[in-house]
Amino acid sequence: MPETGVSRAQHADISNATAGPGTAASTGAGPATAAARRTALLVTLVLGGLTALPPLSMDMYLPALPAVTDALHAPAATVQLTLTACLAGMALGQVVVGPMSDRWGRRRPLLLGMAVYVLATAICVFAPTAELLIGFRLLQGLAGAAGIVIARAVVRDMYDGVEMAKFFSTLMLISGVAPIVAPLIGGQVLRFTDWRGIFAVLTVVGVVLTLVVWKWLHETLPPEERHTGGIGEALRTMRGLLGDRVFTGYMIAGSLAFAALFAYVSASPFVVQEIYGASPQTFSLLFGINSIGLITVGQINGRLLVGRISLDKALGFGLGVIVLAAVALLLMTSGVFGEVGLVPVAAGLFVLMSAMGLAMPNTNAQALMRTKHAAGSASALLGTSSFLIGAVASPLVGIAGEETAVPMAVVQVVCAVGAMVCFLGLCRPWQRQS
């Protein structure tokens, strides 16, 4: 396959295949249109697989933590660093891979990252100590970050405006399923093998995805649009992006919204089961319902709202709902309404999570819409910012001990209000056409 394989005609075919009613793709049913639609579906599945791989790498491993502690004779705190290392790698790797993809194109850095991911994951299968496992989990995260950052950059290469926002909503459907099913898959794998078998499964998944990328994901950044400078130019590009007030506003708003979501993910097992007395089965059911809410609203955003109302209006509405839900959760958990049970709190969490389906795809779309010249670097900044702010917010949810859900709600209120302030204060949507 040629390294610079995607042509302008192919771009047009894919864009037409995903266009809405009234476009050329929707008015004909010839072989070319059918082929373009198949190509668009394949690209969607490939990019969805790339964005789903990091959550799979993180969450499939969760049920095995106690077994790893016993097998490697390491303290639980040390074994938990294997999760931290992978998350840190995913955050830092995006800063490295994003500028690389702007200079050398999307395919080569992606294939390199996938190859290193497969190698690091395979070594994890045989790791004899917790320290080595931590090191190779860090490498696994660094390499796996290539899929996240380059998938966003490919979307920016291929789409613009409304179509880009629709595509991000579709990716949310695919990648949103991964955190739900990953622990279930990990639990089933542990029925037949030990914790090392989970890394063996991830190795196979990585190999398959690498082959799929090599065969079917063409280059989307033409040579004439690539950057030719080195590290200095990459740093100048990132500094220029951060100097763009509107881009930075969308980046921070999206990251703070992600941090509110991350606070929920970190605290909800403790809040739902320990404070409100729900069973693990009830918690799993509620977690799944909330995830379905996020995915459903994301699809409503992509299929019904985008193209009919401005992205900024949908984003502003989503952030407003997140703020209201977070404030309601704070009032309920702090006792303002007296003793409340699980049902009202679960309802508040459902509303907050569902509104993320409006906030997250639209912040990405609006930020990347300003960065055609450096989509890889912009994608890296968006991803790294989200992971780092989320990682800072996560431990704060347990700061007041195990008997109150107030810290979770406080973190969510602060993040939600901060996201709204950044959106209004930095993006200033009333001054621009969306």
Side-chain angles (χ1 to χ4, degrees):
M1 175 179 298
E3 275 296 307
T4 59
V6 134
S7 66
R8 295 298 182 188
Q10 186 181 11
H11 278 176
D13 286 344
I14 295 173
S15 297
N16 286 341
T18 56
T23 63
S26 62
T27 56
T33 300
R37 285 174 175 163
R38 286 194 297 271
T39 301
L41 176 61
L42 186 59
V43 169
T44 301
L45 293 175
V46 172
L47 297 182
L50 291 172
T51 56
L53 186 60
L56 285 175
S57 302
M58 288 288 294
D59 295 345
M60 273 184 67
Y61 178 65
L62 293 178
L65 284 177
V68 177
T69 301
D70 295 337
L72 298 182
H73 308 290
T78 300
V79 173
Q80 286 174 336
L81 287 176
T82 61
L83 294 175
T84 304
C86 188
L87 182 63
M90 289 178 191
L92 298 176
Q94 295 184 64
V95 179
V96 176
V97 177
M100 286 174 59
S101 75
D102 283 338
R103 181 175 183 183
W104 290 302
R106 312 304 183 201
R107 260 177 65 84
R108 283 190 289 177
L110 178 56
L111 288 170
L112 176 62
M114 292 302 300
V116 174
Y117 172 88
V118 169
L119 179 63
T121 307
I123 294 175
C124 287
V125 176
F126 304 102
T129 66
E131 290 73 20
L132 279 176
L133 184 60
I134 291 169
F136 284 104
R137 284 284 277 175
L138 175 64
L139 183 59
Q140 185 190 41
L142 286 167
I148 306 174
V149 67
I150 291 179
R152 277 194 302 260
V154 168
V155 174
R156 182 63 188 94
D157 293 339
M158 293 171 57
Y159 300 101
D160 202 354
V162 168
E163 294 305 320
M164 181 166 58
K166 289 182 177 180
F167 200 97
F168 276 125
S169 294
T170 302
L171 280 187
M172 178 172 286
L173 172 63
I174 300 172
S175 61
V177 172
I180 303 172
V181 302
L184 301 177
I185 296 173
Q188 293 303 309
V189 171
L190 290 175
R191 294 181 61 185
F192 302 100
T193 182
D194 62 7
W195 63 272
R196 297 180 188 274
I198 291 177
F199 288 110
V201 171
L202 286 171
T203 301
V204 173
V205 171
V207 169
V208 171
L209 193 54
T210 302
L211 293 175
V212 169
V213 168
W214 177 78
K215 183 171 178 59
W216 282 298
L217 188 63
H218 298 264
E219 179 59 65
T220 59
L221 186 65
E224 63 271 15
E225 295 182 11
R226 298 177 190 177
H227 294 186
T228 57
I231 295 176
E233 181 178 343
L235 292 176
R236 285 192 296 272
T237 298
M238 287 189 171
R239 187 167 62 246
L241 291 170
L242 293 175
D244 180 345
R245 168 178 54 79
V246 179
F247 171 84
T248 301
Y250 285 122
M251 180 187 73
I252 299 177
S255 299
L256 288 171
F258 180 79
L261 182 150
F262 216 70
Y264 157 77
V265 172
S266 301
S268 59
F270 166 74
V271 170
V272 173
Q273 296 179 80
E274 299 297 325
I275 295 179
Y276 291 99
S279 67
Q281 292 73 27
T282 300
F283 164 72
S284 299
L285 176 63
L286 292 176
F287 191 90
I289 290 172
N290 289 344
S291 299
I292 290 170
L294 186 153
I295 294 168
T296 300
V297 173
Q299 292 309 292
I300 291 172
N301 176 70
R303 296 181 181 275
L304 298 180
L305 300 182
V306 172
R308 291 177 172 85
I309 66 173
S310 73
L311 299 184
D312 278 329
K313 286 181 179 177
L315 172 57
F317 180 78
L319 291 177
V321 172
I322 293 171
V323 170
L324 292 176
V327 170
L329 284 167
L330 179 58
L331 294 176
M332 286 188 286
T333 57
S334 60
V336 171
F337 300 132
E339 193 74 24
V340 298
L342 176 60
V343 173
V345 172
L349 290 171
F350 174 79
V351 172
L352 184 144
M353 282 288 289
S354 297
M356 294 291 175
L358 292 175
M360 294 172 65
N362 290 328
T363 50
N364 281 334
Q366 289 288 68
L368 287 172
M369 217 175 292
R370 302 179 62 83
T371 59
K372 178 66 175 175
H373 63 290
S377 297
S379 178
L381 289 174
L382 290 172
T384 301
S385 174
S386 294
F387 274 92
L388 291 180
I389 294 178
V392 170
S394 179
L396 298 179
V397 299
I399 200 168
E402 302 181 355
E403 297 181 357
T404 175
V406 170
M408 177 193 73
V410 169
V411 170
Q412 289 173 331
V413 168
V414 171
C415 290
V417 172
M420 181 63 84
V421 169
C422 286
F423 173 60
L424 296 177
L426 295 178
C427 302
R428 301 174 190 173
W430 61 86
Q431 295 180 352
R432 297 173 294 108
Q433 288 293 111
S434 296

